[in-house]
Amino acid sequence: MDELIYLDNAASTPVDPRVVTAMLPYFTWHYGNPSAIHPMGRRADEALETAREQVAALINCQPEEVIFTSGGTESDNLAISGAAMAGRGRHIITSEIEHHAVLLACHALEKKGFEVTYLPVDSFGQVSPKDVEAAITPQTALVSIMAANNVIGTLQPVAEIGAVCRRQGVIFHTDAVQMAGHLPLDVKRDNIDLLSLSAHKFNGPKGVGILYAKGDVPLAPLILGGGQESGLRSGTENVPGIAGLGLAAGIAALEMQEEAGRVSSLRKKLAEAILGSIPGSRLNGHPQKRLPGNLNISFEGVEGEYLSKELAKQGICVSTGSACSSASHEAPYVLLATGLERDLANCSIRLSLGKMTTPEHIQKTADTLSAVVSQIRRQTPVW
């Protein structure tokens, strides 16, 4: 088989070689515990503070507002459960298309007596700020709306939702795991109180992320112990991972504008090639307001899981949506929420481009996809 074409960057990205280099000393030379007061501990602690500053610069917050976690799932859980259990109210507002890390955290709160409002989305997968405002009650403790959807790539009107929450005095959390490092984020401009991101989505290591928590936002910790991260996330910090996260954030701050333009151009070429040559193909998500590298397409009469497996045989790596739930064989709930019929939702795949994607990859993918779809349809009597 020739070189694999990796188009599943929404699930995980390759670690930038510069990031790997930055991490290595903290495995081998500067391996002290950052809570220790001796020189080895101080060197490790310096790595944490440098990374905190690099992440803060990426999202425009204060370094002390950056809490290191194990990744997006933990950050989402800390934001939602932490804000809810801090006692401001018993009502949460979110959307129907959030990541399971948000939805399941909300379900758990419902079992504890909280009320949760799940807002609908339009046919492009966007939440209406007016719907958010209408749902707010005196008991609303938190609004959690993702910045960009992991399945269809649609960008949400985060600034407008943040403005609504700020006017109403309600805490606003956004899951920015898909958006961070790819498009600009500014927590002050957009009135964001809590924000989740994960390093492995923008060419950093797996197993490390952050929760930005505005200084005056009350949070109850999920993990208790040594009191690290200002008491909000106990446990010895993953120093190599955090050093890698910090540099990945620094690189993204410098390079994201140019890289977003390059990837967006490749995505548009791939979309045009697929939609223009394969009958019965349909773009899902917003046509313009979407992540640079996300492309979600349905193919009539072609089951998405089967299509993904057939493409894998040709060396092309894609997915059917969320990598966290791809083994469930269920129609993507995000697509169903946009009004897509179940049969067509089951016939969708996600192609997500990244730093390693080249024009040659785009052409080969379009040609291979056309051939594989045609082959599957020839084997399908209904089609």
Side-chain angles (χ1 to χ4, degrees):
M1 182 183 292
D2 295 333
E3 176 192 4
L4 291 175
I5 296 177
Y6 183 75
L7 296 177
D8 198 19
N9 287 275
S12 194
T13 58
V15 181
D16 189 300
R18 293 168 290 182
V19 171
V20 175
T21 299
M23 293 172 64
L24 289 176
Y26 300 99
F27 287 110
T28 54
W29 295 103
H30 308 314
Y31 47 80
N33 188 313
S35 295
I37 61 173
H38 52 62
M40 288 288 278
R42 292 305 86 213
R43 287 177 191 145
D45 186 62
E46 287 170 6
L48 301 190
E49 298 315 307
T50 297
R52 224 180 288 277
E53 292 172 0
Q54 290 168 315
V55 173
L58 181 67
I59 62 175
N60 191 27
C61 71
Q62 298 302 311
E64 59 270 22
E65 296 175 317
V66 173
I67 304 165
F68 293 120
T69 69
S70 64
T73 293
E74 184 186 343
S75 296
D76 285 343
N77 275 253
L78 177 56
I80 294 165
S81 297
M85 301 311 292
R88 278 201 172 186
R90 306 287 291 179
H91 177 229
I92 309 294
I93 298 171
T94 189
S95 83
E96 295 178 351
I97 65 166
E98 299 297 310
H99 190 277
H100 279 117
V102 169
L103 294 176
L104 294 182
C106 289
H107 294 169
L109 287 172
E110 286 182 295
K111 294 178 180 178
K112 295 179 179 179
F114 283 79
E115 178 187 358
V116 180
T117 298
Y118 299 93
L119 297 176
V121 295
D122 63 19
S123 61
F124 295 134
Q126 283 195 315
V127 175
S128 165
K130 292 182 179 179
D131 287 349
V132 174
E133 188 159 25
I136 292 174
T137 75
Q139 277 294 307
T140 303
L142 177 76
V143 171
S144 179
I145 303 293
M146 66 193 343
N149 186 261
N150 52 303
V151 177
I152 57 176
T154 294
L155 305 179
Q156 298 296 342
V158 169
E160 292 88 339
I161 294 171
V164 166
C165 293
R166 188 57 51 89
R167 287 197 304 269
Q168 298 290 338
V170 174
I171 296 171
F172 176 42
H173 165 251
T174 188
D175 175 345
V177 167
Q178 289 293 323
M179 187 171 172
H182 301 288
L183 291 172
L185 284 165
D186 189 323
V187 297
K188 293 179 181 177
R189 177 197 65 200
D190 295 339
N191 294 309
I192 297 168
D193 300 303
L194 299 165
L195 179 146
S196 307
L197 64 77
S198 188
H200 77 110
K201 304 295 188 177
F202 56 98
N203 304 103
K206 296 178 181 64
V208 61
I210 70 108
L211 176 67
Y212 153 73
K214 190 170 177 285
D216 59 353
V217 172
L219 283 178
L222 300 182
I223 301 173
L224 303 175
Q228 291 87 347
E229 298 304 295
S230 302
L232 291 173
R233 204 283 182 179
S234 292
T236 301
E237 295 92 342
N238 172 9
V239 180
I242 290 169
L245 163 64
L247 184 57
I251 292 171
L254 293 173
E255 300 179 359
M256 82 165 78
Q257 183 175 358
E258 181 179 352
E259 180 63 11
R262 186 190 74 86
V263 171
S264 180
S265 177
L266 291 176
R267 185 204 79 223
K268 291 175 183 177
K269 289 179 180 178
L270 182 56
E272 290 170 0
I274 294 172
L275 300 173
S277 66
I278 303 179
S281 56
R282 178 192 190 277
L283 176 68
N284 298 311
H286 201 287
Q288 288 88 37
K289 298 176 183 178
R290 62 187 308 125
L291 290 167
N294 183 295
L295 188 61
N296 189 297
I297 297 182
S298 296
F299 300 90
E300 293 179 16
V302 181
E303 201 271 326
E305 196 81 22
Y306 182 59
L307 177 56
S308 297
K309 292 177 180 177
E310 292 301 302
L311 288 173
K313 293 177 183 178
Q314 303 299 318
I316 298 175
C317 305
V318 304
S319 76
T320 54
S322 172
C324 302
S325 60
S326 61
S328 66
H329 299 287
E330 297 177 355
Y333 65 93
V334 172
L335 294 174
L336 296 178
T338 67
L340 202 65
E341 294 181 1
R342 185 172 296 274
D343 288 346
L344 199 53
N346 275 322
C347 294
S348 66
I349 62 170
R350 182 187 66 188
L351 307 98
S352 46
L353 291 59
K355 277 190 174 182
M356 306 299 290
T357 308
T358 67
E360 291 74 23
H361 292 158
I362 297 303
Q363 187 60 56
K364 183 175 180 181
T365 297
D367 293 342
T368 304
L369 189 54
S370 180
V372 171
V373 168
S374 295
Q375 178 185 353
I376 294 174
R377 284 173 172 171
R378 284 195 299 269
Q379 299 169 349
T380 307
V382 175
W383 179 262

